[in-house]
Amino acid sequence: MATSTSPRRGKRLVETVQGGGCGCGSSDIPSDQRGSLGHPSIMNDPRDIALYAAELVSGDRQDAYGHPLDNFTRASKIWSVILGCEVSAEQVSLCMVGMKIAREINQTKPDTVVDGIGYFLTLGMIQEERLRRENN
């Protein structure tokens, strides 16, 4: 198992962005410490969760679904028809965070926290990409 030292927390359980097929260190984590998706179920440092979420939204998922601005814009068009009002890509991201909060209130799961962080990260990615495209 790959470990490193954190000045705030001492020894970290796993360095989440190294090793493993998903880029999260899964292969370095003993099977009894893996969550349902193969990511660490025990993370001693909040940065482990954030790093794992960042790897998810900027890695395979972005490759599969495209940049969040494009993906969430497609979703916003569908939501706009369903709701009968204009919905932005940014609002899709925020609504998905809201969904994760609702799920967390009902039942606590590590995956929900990771996904919530991931949706907040996509919000930042959408905002940055929108500015970049407007300035080009």
Side-chain angles (χ1 to χ4, degrees):
M1 173 170 50
T3 59
S4 66
T5 301
S6 168
R8 295 182 329 162
R9 297 267 187 157
K11 191 174 186 181
R12 294 170 66 191
L13 175 64
V14 65
E15 190 65 41
T16 59
V17 294
Q18 295 178 354
C22 68
C24 65
S26 299
S27 66
D28 298 328
I29 304 167
S31 61
D32 65 335
Q33 293 178 357
R34 288 189 201 158
S36 61
L37 299 177
H39 73 276
S41 61
I42 302 169
M43 294 189 232
N44 294 334
D45 190 321
R47 291 174 289 190
D48 293 332
I49 298 169
L51 286 169
Y52 180 68
E55 180 63 27
L56 287 176
V57 300
S58 62
D60 291 341
R61 289 189 186 164
Q62 186 168 335
D63 293 342
Y65 306 127
H67 193 280
L69 176 57
D70 301 319
N71 186 325
F72 286 40
T73 296
R74 286 189 294 275
S76 74
K77 290 177 183 178
I78 296 166
W79 290 19
S80 294
V81 171
I82 293 169
L83 297 172
C85 63
E86 193 69 28
V87 177
S88 70
E90 291 86 349
Q91 289 171 318
V92 170
S93 181
L94 290 171
C95 287
M96 294 305 295
V97 170
M99 175 60 72
K100 293 302 174 176
I101 292 169
R103 288 183 177 176
E104 184 67 17
I105 290 168
N106 184 60
Q107 180 180 2
T108 298
K109 289 177 60 178
D111 292 352
T112 303
V113 173
V114 170
D115 289 347
I117 292 168
Y119 283 119
F120 267 123
L121 292 172
T122 61
L123 175 62
M125 294 168 71
I126 289 166
Q127 293 166 338
E128 287 178 17
E129 183 65 10
R130 189 179 301 283
L131 282 173
R132 188 191 69 75
R133 290 179 187 183
E134 288 173 358
N135 292 327
N136 284 334

